[in-house]
Amino acid sequence: MVKYEEIIAKALEKATEIDEKELETYIEFPKDSANGDYALPCFKLAKTMKKAPQMIANEIKEKIEIDESYIEKVEVVGGYINFFVNKENLVKEVLNEISRQDEYGKAKIGEGRNIVIDYSAPNIAKPFHIGHLRSTVIGGALSNIYKYLGYNVTGINHLGDYGTQFGKLIEGYKMWGNEYDIDKDPINELTKIYIRINEECKKDEKVLEACRNNFKKLEDGDPYCVELWKRFKDVSLKEFQRVYDLLGSKFESWNGEAFYSDKMQEVVDILEKKGKLVDSQGAKIVDLSEEGIDTPCIIIKSNGSSTYATRDLAAILYRARIYDYEKALYVTSYEQVLHFKQIFTVAKYLGLDEKYVKGLKHVPFGMVLLPTGKMSTREGTSIKLEDLLNESIERAKEIIEKKNPELEDKDEIAKKVGVGAVIFNDLANNRLKDEVFDWDTILNFQGETGPYIQYTYVRIRSVLNKVEELPKIEDVDFKVLTDSYSQEVLKLIYNFQNILVQVTDKEEPSILSRYLIDLAKAYSSFYNENKIIVDDKKLQSARICLSYATGKVLEKGCNLLGIEMPNKM
Ligand code: ARG
């Protein structure tokens, strides 16, 4: 497809003698199409050109030579030069590209570049909760989008399968294991044991000591402890897998914290050799105060066991060597901002090539709130994720049952709509914003929701079903799609790949979700204004092609977010 921005930047380069790449960074997209499709704000050039923006704009306009088959009009308004894309050309470019490309928007931009995404990472023997859902959904969307742009992505589920809590679980199991049916309801039962042993630890210092010893024994490879730990892990993973199946999540690696148990000594040795490790009340820490971080990073606890941070540092060494990453992303809630600040700073001392330290990036996200406030495990307001997804599917089914009782495959469709609604809600806004989880909003077919996009898509499918076959692109008269409704849709479709690139620039999938809402809305306006099946076959063919193109992009975009599309609903 032609790149209008490049064409404009090239023409501007000739007129200004400023480098086209620099000019490209100045080009904006006016919100109101009355101001064109692209604009150059000339105050950006005022400093170098030492003139008033308006004067610069007029001068450039006089000089600029631009191919009218691409840009049909150039206008000066105030200090801006506005560029209007040739409408017919836009139709032609977009429809041609969509008919040619099975995977519209796909790119090779990332070729040869490795991205590691650490996401989901629930903790063994603990509930897979709604915070892990956000990580799973955001990380999964990023992974899909990077892959689509041609990057080599390794998605890692850095399971919380290690740490002192396992010493406690082992002790609790030793004491009361036979009272609980772990195979039947693993995580619930293990959680009960965990709560009970914690109570016991508070009462009895000796039990606490035994728990600590268990973890030490686990680290040293004691067969009994290792076997129990394996069992806890197996039963937990089985439960997690049910959630991943519902969400369609897949990972390239399942190396969790335990994977690094034999790789941490190297971290300790390097830090020791560099003189970065200091003793503090029996523990070994890295003091980060000179780096502007008040809390030190604990590497070895006073009882000799490793920490979450030590394991993350070992993981950085490993990932740099094995994956040779350009970016290593960590998708967790913003509660872990300090943790990542600490380990990214300590990573500077590990002797790694600087590019690996630079490539580390925390991708934090906000909390999930109930309309009544924060969720908390202790107060029992934390919802189990599997239940939540199943409830969403149930609710979707009720709505569908009411709207369209005749529908076949209701269960399959309810699953796509219910799960899609939850996923979309997680991605609908800037990830750092806390999210309110409210059923009525999430499943509103008319709101800015997953089901709304799915519904728009289904409408398109039913329009397409009304024609025997798709019109050939050669038979389409591009002129009939130069009205403002069609153009609005086409402009958005044209911009699809650009949107994907923006997502990866900011690690922000909501850029794509917002875009899909905009596209669905623009199509709905087009659809409400225009009949699609009409007597004028030329007109009908063109509108069918536009509908087909919109459907393709809605489907692809949703799939990239992890949402499946129903054919009917
Ligand atoms: N298991 C952790 C949690 O539930 C998240 C792990 C994130 N990844 C990492 N490399 N630290 O909070």
Side-chain angles (χ1 to χ4, degrees):
M1 244 185 340
V2 300
K3 291 217 157 58
Y4 296 116
E5 266 181 279
E6 269 174 25
I7 292 173
I8 294 168
K10 275 210 176 80
L12 282 169
E13 183 184 67
K14 279 209 187 118
T16 60
E17 282 163 22
I18 297 172
D19 181 60
E20 62 168 299
K21 286 278 163 268
E22 184 184 337
L23 287 162
E24 251 187 73
T25 65
Y26 299 152
I27 293 174
E28 293 175 357
F29 313 97
K31 287 233 160 53
D32 181 354
S33 53
N35 293 323
D37 304 300
Y38 297 89
L40 179 75
C42 290
F43 63 87
K44 302 239 171 162
L45 312 181
K47 251 201 196 130
T48 31
M49 297 178 78
K50 300 201 177 65
K51 278 179 208 156
Q54 168 117 34
M55 218 157 123
I56 298 172
N58 282 320
E59 277 180 24
I60 295 176
K61 196 199 157 197
E62 284 310 305
K63 268 204 214 151
I64 200 163
E65 281 171 36
I66 203 158
D67 189 338
E68 271 174 34
S69 58
Y70 297 125
I71 301 294
E72 61 188 15
K73 193 167 72 172
V74 180
E75 230 175 47
V76 171
V77 177
Y80 283 83
I81 311 176
N82 297 333
F83 300 89
F84 295 78
V85 166
N86 181 309
K87 294 191 181 71
E88 224 179 298
N89 181 254
L90 178 70
V91 185
K92 181 175 122 201
E93 292 290 335
V94 168
L95 295 188
N96 265 328
E97 184 78 7
I98 295 248
S99 73
R100 257 208 323 265
Q101 289 271 356
D102 207 29
E103 301 209 88
Y104 177 70
K106 196 170 174 144
K108 295 193 175 138
I109 300 167
E111 220 160 55
R113 293 150 80 183
N114 302 323
I115 308 286
V116 169
I117 310 181
D118 176 319
Y119 69 105
S120 192
N123 301 314
I124 298 301
K126 288 198 189 151
F128 191 135
H129 59 68
I130 198 152
H132 293 124
L133 169 73
R134 273 209 101 175
S135 174
T136 310
V137 167
I138 295 172
L142 289 175
S143 163
N144 295 338
I145 294 165
Y146 271 107
K147 283 179 188 163
Y148 203 61
L149 294 180
Y151 291 86
N152 179 29
V153 178
T154 308
I156 303 179
N157 194 344
H158 188 80
L159 292 167
D161 56 1
Y162 220 58
T164 43
Q165 74 270 27
F166 287 96
K168 287 185 174 169
L169 262 183
I170 290 169
E171 195 57 25
Y173 187 84
K174 254 206 279 193
M175 292 167 78
W176 320 294
N178 51 3
E179 294 173 38
Y180 298 85
D181 192 348
I182 294 185
D183 286 312
K184 198 165 145 245
D185 190 6
I187 291 178
N188 252 330
E189 296 294 281
L190 289 172
T191 309
K192 281 184 204 155
I193 297 181
Y194 189 64
I195 293 174
R196 189 163 163 196
I197 190 74
N198 268 315
E199 289 299 314
E200 205 64 29
C201 284
K202 269 185 225 150
K203 280 188 266 172
D204 190 344
E205 184 68 26
K206 272 207 227 74
V207 178
L208 184 63
E209 200 45 45
C211 295
R212 285 194 183 130
N213 272 333
N214 285 341
F215 181 57
K216 191 83 190 61
K217 280 207 258 176
L218 181 64
E219 290 209 286
D220 296 339
D222 172 83
Y224 176 76
C225 290
V226 171
E227 199 194 299
L228 268 189
W229 167 80
K230 270 209 183 111
R231 169 129 193 268
F232 298 155
K233 185 164 166 175
D234 283 349
V235 291
S236 304
L237 280 179
K238 254 199 210 136
E239 241 190 276
F240 295 162
Q241 192 55 47
R242 290 208 295 275
V243 174
Y244 291 135
D245 286 345
L246 279 170
L247 293 171
S249 314
K250 296 216 168 58
F251 302 90
E252 277 72 30
S253 161
W254 290 79
N255 289 339
E257 293 184 41
F259 177 77
Y260 301 98
S261 59
D262 62 354
K263 298 174 181 58
M264 288 182 286
Q265 190 55 45
E266 189 185 357
V267 173
V268 177
D269 292 345
I270 297 174
L271 292 174
E272 194 115 67
K273 225 167 92 199
K274 297 239 160 116
K276 290 290 179 190
L277 227 43
V278 275
D279 286 312
S280 163
Q281 298 162 3
K284 286 186 192 303
I285 64 164
V286 178
D287 179 53
L288 298 171
S289 53
E290 272 180 19
E291 302 272 2
I293 303 170
D294 295 338
T295 331
C297 185
I298 303 172
I299 303 294
I300 303 283
K301 291 190 195 168
S302 54
N303 67 355
S305 51
S306 63
T307 67
Y308 180 49
T310 331
R311 293 188 279 281
D312 257 331
L313 289 165
I316 293 175
L317 281 181
Y318 182 83
R319 290 169 186 178
R321 286 170 190 153
I322 301 294
Y323 304 119
D324 181 30
Y325 60 77
E326 182 178 290
K327 273 196 218 175
L329 309 177
Y330 295 79
V331 187
T332 80
S333 96
Y334 60 60
E335 288 178 312
Q336 296 197 35
V337 163
L338 175 64
H339 166 74
F340 286 106
K341 236 186 179 173
Q342 289 179 317
I343 64 159
F344 294 171
T345 309
V346 178
K348 289 199 266 183
Y349 311 145
L350 293 179
L352 283 169
D353 192 308
E354 207 182 318
K355 69 177 180 191
Y356 296 121
V357 180
K358 265 214 184 120
L360 297 165
K361 189 167 173 191
H362 185 207
V363 180
F365 55 79
M367 298 284 172
V368 183
L369 309 172
L370 291 174
T372 48
K374 196 183 160 177
M375 291 194 188
S376 133
T377 326
R378 247 167 293 132
E379 287 152 34
T381 49
S382 149
I383 302 175
K384 220 172 112 183
L385 187 52
E386 193 183 351
D387 297 345
L388 177 130
L389 288 170
N390 284 324
E391 181 169 350
S392 190
I393 295 170
E394 269 317 303
R395 286 174 182 255
K397 199 167 161 203
E398 271 168 39
I399 301 174
I400 293 167
E401 202 82 64
K402 254 190 238 146
K403 278 195 197 276
N404 196 351
E406 309 291 280
L407 201 63
E408 283 169 41
D409 303 326
K410 264 184 247 163
D411 287 322
E412 194 49 38
I413 293 164
K415 190 184 152 207
K416 289 178 176 168
V417 175
V419 174
V422 173
I423 294 179
F424 192 86
N425 181 56
D426 253 331
L427 300 172
N429 294 308
N430 187 312
R431 61 177 152 75
L432 265 174
K433 254 177 86 173
D434 287 343
E435 155 196 324
V436 178
F437 192 94
D438 179 23
W439 286 117
D440 294 336
T441 321
I442 292 172
L443 281 162
N444 183 349
F445 282 36
Q446 266 94 48
E448 299 190 341
T449 62
Y452 169 66
I453 299 173
Q454 287 169 324
Y455 188 67
T456 312
Y457 173 76
V458 165
R459 267 209 311 208
I460 292 174
R461 297 277 310 201
S462 88
V463 170
L464 296 180
N465 281 339
K466 289 193 184 128
V467 293
E468 305 249 297
E469 60 186 325
L470 276 177
K472 288 210 177 51
I473 196 83
E474 300 83 58
D475 300 335
V476 173
D477 177 2
F478 300 129
K479 263 199 254 13
V480 300
L481 294 179
T482 51
D483 65 290
S484 63
Y485 290 103
S486 310
Q487 285 285 308
E488 208 46 52
V489 175
L490 286 158
K491 254 168 76 173
L492 284 162
I493 296 178
Y494 173 82
N495 214 9
F496 183 53
Q497 189 178 78
N498 189 12
I499 291 290
L500 299 179
V501 172
Q502 285 177 37
V503 171
T504 58
D505 283 343
K506 300 199 172 112
E507 325 301 346
E508 183 61 80
S510 69
I511 296 173
L512 177 57
S513 342
R514 301 304 317 163
Y515 163 87
L516 292 171
I517 291 289
D518 290 344
L519 179 58
K521 279 188 181 164
Y523 181 80
S524 298
S525 308
F526 160 82
Y527 181 93
N528 294 336
E529 283 305 310
N530 296 297
K531 278 215 174 58
I532 302 205
I533 304 298
V534 286
D535 291 337
D536 179 347
K537 288 302 157 217
K538 267 193 158 175
L539 188 59
Q540 173 173 310
S541 291
R543 288 181 179 165
I544 287 284
C545 280
L546 178 71
S547 303
Y548 172 77
T550 310
K552 270 222 139 168
V553 175
L554 290 179
E555 181 178 29
K556 188 76 237 172
C558 277
N559 290 167
L560 289 173
L561 295 179
I563 297 169
E564 287 188 73
M565 292 307 227
N567 288 335
K568 293 197 171 126
M569 69 195 261

